[in-house]
Every structure is written in structure tokens, then in C-alpha cells.
Amino acid sequence: MDSELRRSLGVSDAVVVGLGAMVGAGIFSALAPAARAAGGGLLAALAVAALVAFCNAWSSARLAARYPASGGTYVYGRERLGPFWGYLAGWGFVVGKTASCAAMALTVGAYVWPGRQHAVAVAAVVALTAAGYGGVQKSARIARLIVAAVLAVLAGVVVVCLTSDAADAGALAGGGWEAAGLLQGAGLLFFAFAGYARITTLGEEVRDPRRTIPRAVPLALGIALLVYAAVAVAALSVLGSDGLAASAAPLADAVRAAGWPGLSPVVRVGAALAALGSLLALVLGVSRTVLAMARDGHLPRALAAVHPRHRVPHHAELAVGAVVAVLAATADLRGAIGFSSFGVLVYYAIANASAWTLGSAVKDRAVAAVGLSGCVVLACALPVASVVSGAAVLAVGVLAYAVRRGELRPRTGS
């Protein structure tokens, strides 16, 4: 059909897209605020975030294998729980991740040319939107190069820190911590794990999705967890939890503290590339969710158009790129980690609730229950400003849904 996307992504392509979103700017930006919240419990917070992410990934993979269409949890919620829950998931994802796109673009600008960060951010958005317009395979090839470069930089950070004289194993234990702070830190670190959703939102472009997606999601998540754990241990060993919490650029400060200040520019380049990788994956994921919502009339139906040659949702990609470019040119959204985490945690809470309905296997239902409760707890544990702004955005979406339902409801009587 002319409205369908082209299935061209294999297991390795899907893993790379997921890694491009996860092993991206999150590890460069989320460690410091998480350390401020969790204190000496940073590694425990990472473990909690990883557990919730694993449950979400398990549930999402099962759902994606059953419903291999663009849109991710928007589709799963609609099919398993009803149209409203699918809409709420899609709304939270599109709004939250559009803000994240702008934040990642501004991160690129801040690292590449601090004095002209808005101009660089807009250029990055235009370039990656054009790359996505050329087909998902082209985007996957770009993501593969970015992931390889970022992993090399992160590996260098780990080796330099752990082999330096400044490394102190005692610093890993950190100081005191409280349960509320640990959970808040886990909620902020969840921002760095959320990228595996890109694999499921691209479900309509994956070859043999019932086999590919259940393999790609846990593989991408497992690699990301190993990388995050190694980087967190390395940074803590030389900076300690207090030094990490106070740092504006923790990995650059870590190599500096390890006695390798000359590597700081390399880390900055790695951070810029990581932000580009995250931005590319975010634009892909948001545009596919916009496509799915447009198909159902929740967004203008013109956004459901598929390019006749490249088989990509070109109207949705251009619309997302335009909105992100305007935000990147006019605002500073680099503090949107908490807001983004709230929206994504709501998104995955709906995914776990949807997965609960798939069958009665004890293991699968236990995973869905842990994932659902974990998402709710972490969302509520986020900073108050993030919870309030996130709830307000969801409320606006609910109001828009109610208005639209009222307009479409058949009128009776004269």
C-alpha cells in the first residue's frame, strides 16, 4: 500500500538506532543532576532506573511483535486499552520528546560553538531532518557512525579515569543518601535509558518484526547499561559524588581530574556527536508517532503522507523538524530532562498496562506489574516542577481530546 513504510531495518540496524538514542547526550547530561539528587546512592539509582527500563523494554518488545506498526505505545494503548489511553501515550511522547529534540539540538550548539549555539542548533536540526527525509536506512547508517565514535570516546574516558592515580575505589561508596533522593536520581537517569523506544516506534520499518524487535530491544538496552555503569564508576572514582554533582560537564571534568586535560576537547566533540545521535533518533521516533496519530485523525491527516519513493512520513518529519528548529532558535530547553522523563514514564506506564492484557503468563504479568509501578513511582519522585509541568501538558492533551470527541460525536434530535 502507498501509505505503508518500507521494511528495511534488520537486527543490527535496530540496535544501532536504539543505541544512538540511548548512548547519546543522556550520559553526558544526566549524571550530574542524578548525583545531586541521589548523592552516594548514584549507582543504586542507576540500578533502579535500569530495572524499570528492562521491564518497560520487555513489555514494549512483546507489544511491538504483536503490533508491528509505527507509533509505539500510541498503537499498543489504542489496541489493548482503548483510544483514549493510546492518545494519551502519543500526546505525552510527542510533546515531551519534541522538547527533548530542541534540548539535544541546543546541546550540540553549546559544545560546537557556545557563542552561536542557537544558530548551530537550527543547522543541526535542518541537516538531520534532511537525512531522515532520504530514508530510514540512510538515518541508520549515520547513526552507526555516530554510535561508533561516541562509544570510542566513552571507552577512552573509562580507561583514563580507572587507570589514573586519582582513581579511588572508596569514592564509589559516596556519602549518605535518602530513599526519596535515590528515586529522584533514578527518575532523572531514566532519561538516558528511554531511547530504546525508537526501535518500537519504527516497528513498521523493521524486517520480520516479530523476530527482530524482541531481539533488538534487550540487546540495545543491555549494551547501554554496561556502558552507563562503566562511565558512572569511572567518573565517580575520580570526582566522587559531590564533585560529580557540582560539575556542569562531568565527563570533561573527570578526564581533567584524571590528569589528562588534553582529552577534554575530545570529550566535548564526543558530547556533540552524542547529542546529534540522540537528535536523529528522536526526530525519527516523534515523526512516526505523529504519523500514527495523524492516520487516526488526532493530528492533521496531511501529516500521514508517505513519500512515494523514500517510503518515509515526509510531511510528519518536515513538521517535526520545523517545530524543533523554531524552539531551538528561540528557547533554551537544556533543563528539560525532568519534563521529558515525566512524559516518557507516563508513556511506558501505559505500555506496561497494555502488556498486562496480552496473556496470563506469570512471568510476563509480573514484569508488566513491576514496570507499571516503577514508572508511577519514578514519575512522582521527579522534581516538583517537572511533575507539575508534565501533568499540565497531559491535562491540555486530555482537554483537546475531549473537545475533539465532542465535535465528532453524532448529533441527535433537531
Side-chain angles (χ1 to χ4, degrees):
M1 295 177 60
D2 290 341
S3 62
E4 292 182 351
L5 306 181
R6 177 181 296 143
R7 295 193 181 278
S8 58
L9 299 179
V11 173
S12 63
D13 296 320
V15 169
V16 166
V17 169
L19 282 176
M22 284 187 288
V23 185
I27 194 60
F28 290 90
S29 60
L31 276 180
R36 283 193 290 273
L42 178 64
L43 294 181
L46 180 64
V48 172
L51 173 62
V52 176
F54 169 80
C55 294
N56 296 343
W58 184 280
S59 295
S60 297
R62 292 177 63 221
L63 288 160
R66 179 74 67 90
Y67 303 103
S70 289
T73 300
Y74 166 73
V75 174
Y76 315 149
R78 182 192 66 195
E79 296 297 325
R80 306 302 305 184
L81 303 176
F84 171 75
W85 294 105
Y87 168 84
L88 189 64
W91 174 264
F93 183 85
V94 168
V95 174
K97 288 303 184 181
T98 298
S100 293
C101 285
M104 290 303 96
L106 286 164
T107 299
V108 176
Y111 277 103
V112 172
W113 195 353
R116 295 287 186 271
Q117 64 182 49
H118 290 284
V120 174
V122 172
V125 172
V126 171
L128 292 183
T129 301
Y133 199 95
V136 73
Q137 270 289 349
K138 183 177 181 180
S139 297
R141 286 194 294 269
I142 294 172
R144 193 182 298 274
L145 295 174
I146 291 174
V147 167
V150 173
L151 287 179
V153 170
L154 293 177
V157 170
V158 171
V159 171
V160 164
C161 290
L162 293 183
T163 58
S164 74
D165 294 335
D168 179 11
L172 300 181
W177 53 271
E178 297 178 353
L182 188 150
L183 290 175
Q184 187 176 114
L188 293 170
L189 283 169
F190 186 81
F191 172 82
F193 281 107
Y196 58 82
R198 298 308 85 72
I199 299 173
T200 59
T201 52
L202 296 174
E204 197 172 318
E205 294 161 278
V206 173
R207 295 194 304 267
D208 192 7
R210 288 176 175 79
R211 173 178 174 272
T212 299
I213 294 175
R215 290 186 177 188
V217 168
L219 186 55
L221 183 62
I223 294 172
L225 174 58
L226 291 176
V227 172
Y228 290 173
V231 172
V233 167
L236 276 173
S237 69
V238 296
L239 293 177
S241 59
D242 291 340
L244 190 57
S247 175
L251 299 191
D253 288 344
V255 296
R256 206 175 286 115
W260 288 78
L263 284 182
S264 183
V266 176
V267 173
R268 294 177 66 87
V269 171
L273 285 174
L276 280 172
S278 289
L279 176 59
L280 175 62
L282 281 166
V283 170
L284 289 175
V286 173
S287 61
R288 271 59 179 180
T289 303
V290 168
L291 165 72
M293 295 182 73
R295 283 171 170 170
D296 291 341
H298 292 304
L299 293 173
R301 291 191 182 277
L303 298 177
V306 175
H307 195 281
R309 182 160 68 91
H310 299 303
R311 314 307 302 166
V312 297
H314 57 307
H315 287 180
E317 287 191 345
L318 290 175
V320 171
V323 172
V324 173
V326 170
L327 289 173
T330 59
D332 188 347
L333 301 177
R334 286 170 293 171
I337 292 177
F339 174 82
S340 177
S341 290
F342 184 88
V344 175
L345 284 164
V346 170
Y347 176 86
Y348 281 118
I350 295 173
N352 281 296
S354 301
W356 174 272
T357 69
L358 284 177
S360 57
V362 174
K363 179 184 68 173
D364 292 333
R365 283 207 157 177
V367 170
V370 172
L372 174 58
S373 58
C375 286
V376 172
V377 169
L378 293 187
C380 293
L382 286 167
V384 174
S386 299
V387 175
V388 171
S389 59
V393 167
L394 291 182
V396 170
V398 171
L399 179 62
Y401 181 84
V403 169
R404 179 179 172 276
R405 291 278 292 182
E407 290 176 348
L408 295 182
R409 187 175 291 112
R411 299 183 183 275
T412 58
S414 57

